Amino acid sequence: MDLPNSEFLLELSLKPAADLLEARDYQINIAKSILRRGNSLVIMPTALGKTFIAILAMAKYVKEMHEGKRKRKKFLFLTPTKPLANQQAKRILELIDFGENEKGGLNSEKIEELNANSTIRLTGLNDPEIDSKKLKRKKKAKDTPPQPVMLMTGENAPEKRSALWKSDEIWCYAATPQTVEFDVLAGRMDLSDFCLVVLDEAHRAVKDYSYSFVAREASKRGLLLIGLTASPSADRKMIDEICMNLNVRNIEIRSETDIDVRKYAHEIKLDWVFVDLPEEMQKIKRQLLELLKEALAQLKELGAMGSVEMKSHKRELLALRHRALANLNGDPANYHILSVHARAMNISHAIDLIEIEGASALLEFMREMEGREKQSKAVRGILADPRWLAAQRDCMEFLEKGKEHPKFEKLVGILKKQPLGGGKAIVFAHYRNTVKKITKVLGEIEGIRPVEFIGKSKGGMGQKAQQQAMQEFRDGKYNVLVATSVAEEGLDIPDVELVVFFESVPSEIRLIQRRGRTGRIKDGKAIVLITKGSKDEALFWSSKYKEKKMKRVVEGLRTSLLDAGAQNELMGGQARTLLDY
């Protein structure tokens, strides 16, 4: 018998902090559906509490374990990025009562034994970051509560992770999927020790991404899988692949227009602002276009490409590379084709930079090419071309005049016009060099306190630096976060009033994710900066179209599920699987 929602909440192992949250009927109903039906995919707009749904299901399992109704096993909460894993670890520890004071937790002596000289962070409500190097001092504090939630990422040394996965004191791991995949393959962890896996941003569970591997392995062992996403895809085949990888038996869909959701949804107004390239930048672009057309013509002469329109040349070039690489052994002429192809790709990238990012981004790329230790024939040919050198010279002269891409001026104007007050803004940019440039420009404006937020790879920000930047942004030390895609997914910063895209994004998923960083506790606004007549503009309209298509696909899926549910009733409640839909 299905318990009323008020009684269901009494059957969960939640901390008093959870009482401060408003448990919404749709969240409780979805959690109950997951527990009743099994592996589930939850599709719901950003800021409507998908994480809390998973926490309700976990808290039910914990309660049953405490009561002896379920065998004691562990939980795995997967996120695609370390900052998001850190956020979710804090939330889990804040809300779920693992009974750590009675059951025991990871005490400081044990931590010191396992984590000596590592960079593990244990996250908790009142102690968000515990550096293992400080644990010796912390163990003297008798009142430090045990931590049953472990943040597990590549920052942890493999030999330490092996012991931590086996620790009986840890109930839940918030982890990145690559770490889990590596450790399962290396035999450092056994998924049979777990009972439930949450895959946050489950739209990533396709192709060879680590989510797919972990989900399949967990499904083989009978673990409950919960996938959460606001943006599954505009491609029904991709949604089907997600469902197959998660072995989905139940799909829960909610939209902003549903009666039980409507009052909690906040409007996010999406605007776009066009800018025109100044003549100096147009001249640089024309010089580069001449080089690109020459390379494309050469590929045509070699029989590698047919007539190619400039608007679609990048797609054709990517396809050509795959063909040439596949036939290297069969035809040595493909080596020459690949050399010309590399020339075309470098020039095409340079054009994108001057159009979309700015003169400083282009100049940085040109200098990076010059500084490469091993320069290919294609690169040497570009660097020696008088037209390339002329474009580089014009680029430097343009910057020496104190000029830049008009997007920078437009961005400053937008942030000045938007009185942040106690609120905040996020500016997204694709490249790290652009992030640094934006941060520098905004730092010179009174009232704007920017901080950059980028990924770890190739000399970026480490986990500790990311956590510090995000916390200081949340605390108000900074009021503008300038970030790459690492901040796109899932991060919950309630008082972000404005999101600015410095350039368009190519997919509906990234459009939804970036826009969803605002409108979390009140209406928000998102603005996309677009260079008129460029690839920027094409990508924007493409992502908008794909988003509309995705909504149609999801609504069609929901209709199919409702029809299947009605048919199921006619069949006397016979069990059905996703394939029946």
Side-chain angles (χ1 to χ4, degrees):
M1 180 179 175
D2 195 14
L3 289 174
N5 287 350
S6 58
E7 294 182 27
F8 174 76
L9 289 175
L10 298 176
E11 297 296 314
L12 309 180
S13 186
L14 293 171
K15 287 183 177 178
D19 295 337
L20 302 176
L21 295 177
E22 181 181 13
R24 302 165 183 174
D25 282 341
Y26 66 86
Q27 292 172 320
I28 299 172
N29 291 334
I30 293 174
K32 288 160 67 175
S33 175
I34 292 169
L35 293 167
R36 184 170 63 252
R37 298 177 178 174
N39 294 355
S40 299
L41 178 64
V42 179
I43 303 173
M44 200 163 69
T46 56
L48 287 177
K50 291 184 292 295
T51 299
F52 192 56
I53 292 169
I55 285 176
L56 292 176
M58 292 167 65
K60 176 64 173 173
Y61 270 29
V62 173
K63 180 79 167 181
E64 292 176 353
M65 291 175 194
H66 286 333
E67 294 176 344
K69 297 177 181 178
R70 179 180 295 275
K71 184 179 179 181
R72 162 77 155 85
K73 288 200 172 187
K74 302 182 180 186
F75 302 88
L76 188 60
F77 200 112
L78 298 177
T79 75
T81 65
K82 294 174 186 175
L84 184 53
N86 183 58
Q87 173 183 289
Q88 302 298 38
K90 291 179 182 179
R91 188 167 295 168
I92 293 165
L93 191 56
E94 177 181 357
L95 297 175
I96 298 181
D97 183 0
F98 292 102
E100 55 264 33
N101 292 329
E102 298 174 3
K103 303 293 181 180
L106 197 61
N107 60 58
S108 56
E109 288 86 356
K110 184 70 172 176
I111 295 169
E112 190 168 23
E113 175 189 338
L114 296 174
N115 296 352
N117 302 316
S118 75
T119 55
I120 292 172
R121 304 286 183 272
L122 301 181
T123 58
L125 177 59
N126 298 316
D127 194 2
E129 298 169 12
I130 304 177
D131 192 325
S132 60
K133 293 180 180 179
K134 299 176 182 176
L135 286 173
K136 191 170 184 179
R137 294 194 299 271
K138 283 186 174 289
K139 72 178 182 179
K140 296 178 181 179
K142 299 292 185 181
D143 57 346
T144 300
Q147 306 294 321
V149 180
M150 173 65 72
L151 178 61
M152 194 76 90
T153 71
E155 297 272 324
N156 312 82
E159 62 274 13
K160 307 302 179 185
R161 294 201 303 265
S162 181
L164 291 168
W165 288 125
K166 296 177 176 66
S167 170
D168 289 333
E169 290 95 351
I170 302 172
W171 284 74
C172 179
Y173 302 81
T176 48
Q178 296 86 353
T179 304
V180 174
E181 180 178 12
F182 292 156
D183 286 354
V184 169
L185 291 173
R188 284 188 286 267
M189 74 173 292
D190 185 355
L191 284 172
S192 299
D193 294 335
F194 293 77
C195 61
L196 185 153
V197 179
V198 180
L199 298 96
D200 206 0
E201 312 300 344
H203 49 268
R204 287 176 170 259
V206 294
K207 299 181 181 177
D208 59 354
Y209 187 67
S210 295
Y211 269 7
S212 303
F213 170 83
V214 177
R216 288 193 296 267
E217 292 300 310
S219 183
K220 290 177 187 176
R221 293 161 176 79
L223 280 62
L224 175 61
L225 295 171
I226 304 174
L228 309 174
T229 182
S231 47
S233 175
D235 186 348
R236 175 60 192 264
K237 290 182 180 178
M238 191 170 289
I239 297 177
D240 290 344
E241 183 179 355
I242 295 167
C243 291
M244 294 303 293
N245 283 334
L246 271 63
N247 193 22
V248 165
R249 321 296 286 182
N250 174 49
I251 301 178
E252 293 290 336
I253 301 172
R254 299 293 188 278
S255 73
E256 301 96 329
T257 58
D258 290 336
I259 294 175
D260 56 347
V261 173
R262 193 181 303 160
K263 65 178 179 178
Y264 302 107
H266 301 287
E267 181 185 2
I268 302 175
K269 184 180 180 183
L270 179 65
D271 286 336
W272 47 94
V273 176
F274 288 100
V275 299
D276 292 299
L277 283 183
E279 176 54 33
E280 297 99 319
M281 298 183 76
Q282 292 279 11
K283 180 185 175 184
I284 297 169
K285 177 184 172 182
R286 287 194 296 269
Q287 292 165 332
L288 297 173
L289 276 172
E290 188 178 334
L291 283 167
L292 178 60
K293 289 175 181 178
E294 185 179 276
L296 294 176
Q298 192 174 355
L299 288 170
K300 183 180 178 182
E301 289 174 8
L302 291 169
M305 297 177 71
S307 298
V308 179
E309 291 188 17
M310 293 306 296
K311 289 184 178 179
S312 61
H313 77 272
K314 185 69 72 69
R315 183 168 60 249
E316 294 291 335
L317 285 171
L318 291 173
L320 169 60
R321 175 173 171 78
H322 291 302
R323 292 197 304 270
L325 285 173
N327 295 310
L328 271 181
N329 295 329
D331 185 0
N334 281 303
Y335 284 102
H336 182 49
I337 289 173
L338 283 172
S339 179
V340 181
H341 170 273
R343 176 183 174 90
M345 288 296 290
N346 277 302
I347 298 167
S348 178
H349 181 60
I351 292 170
D352 287 346
L353 291 176
I354 193 66
E355 278 189 334
I356 299 171
E357 305 294 329
S360 57
L362 173 59
L363 187 59
E364 185 78 23
F365 174 64
M366 289 175 157
R367 287 173 174 166
E368 182 272 326
M369 287 180 64
E370 291 174 349
R372 293 177 190 174
E373 290 185 13
K374 294 182 179 180
Q375 293 180 351
S376 65
K377 183 179 178 182
V379 169
R380 291 196 302 271
I382 293 173
L383 295 177
D385 194 293
R387 292 162 294 183
W388 180 269
L389 294 171
Q392 187 174 21
R393 184 178 60 252
D394 291 342
C395 197
M396 288 188 290
E397 290 177 356
F398 180 68
L399 291 169
E400 286 169 1
K401 295 176 184 177
K403 297 183 177 182
E404 241 302 359
H405 200 295
K407 284 185 179 182
F408 287 93
E409 183 179 353
K410 191 66 69 174
L411 173 62
V412 170
I414 289 170
L415 290 175
K416 280 185 174 180
K417 191 182 295 184
Q418 174 87 8
L420 294 176
K424 300 176 178 69
I426 298 178
V427 180
F428 282 108
H430 186 64
Y431 298 106
R432 291 181 181 181
N433 287 337
T434 307
V435 166
K436 292 181 183 299
K437 177 76 174 180
I438 292 171
T439 304
K440 182 176 182 296
V441 169
L442 295 182
E444 297 170 356
I445 309 300
E446 185 179 356
I448 298 179
R449 304 183 303 280
V451 61
E452 68 176 56
F453 190 79
I454 60 176
K456 180 190 175 184
S457 65
K458 297 180 181 179
M461 296 177 72
Q463 184 172 311
K464 186 175 182 180
Q466 287 178 341
Q467 291 173 352
Q468 181 177 344
M470 186 57 66
Q471 193 59 52
E472 289 177 342
F473 181 56
R474 285 192 173 102
D475 293 342
K477 179 178 179 179
Y478 303 105
N479 58 5
V480 177
L481 188 77
V482 188
T484 55
S485 58
V486 71
E488 280 180 358
E489 294 179 304
L491 291 180
D492 184 15
I493 306 156
D495 49 352
V496 172
E497 299 176 354
L498 173 68
V499 170
V500 182
F501 297 46
F502 193 77
E503 62 274 295
S504 298
V505 288
S507 74
E508 74 284 8
I509 292 174
R510 296 184 67 189
L511 175 65
I512 292 167
Q513 293 295 334
R514 287 190 175 189
R515 190 178 62 210
R517 296 316 100 212
T518 186
R520 305 190 77 80
I521 58 174
K522 61 180 180 179
D523 292 349
K525 187 174 184 179
I527 299 175
V528 185
L529 299 177
I530 303 169
T531 305
K532 191 179 297 184
S534 71
K535 187 180 80 170
D536 220 7
E537 184 173 359
L539 290 177
F540 174 72
W541 296 120
S542 174
S543 62
K544 285 281 291 176
Y545 167 76
K546 289 176 182 175
E547 183 184 12
K548 289 181 179 179
K549 182 181 177 183
M550 188 197 78
K551 289 182 177 179
R552 292 197 300 270
V553 169
V554 170
E555 283 304 314
L557 179 61
R558 172 148 63 170
T559 300
S560 299
L561 293 173
L562 290 172
D563 290 345
Q567 182 65 24
N568 187 36
E569 301 233 344
L570 291 174
M571 295 172 64
Q574 182 178 339
R576 303 173 69 85
T577 71
L578 180 69
L579 296 176
D580 295 317
Y581 301 145

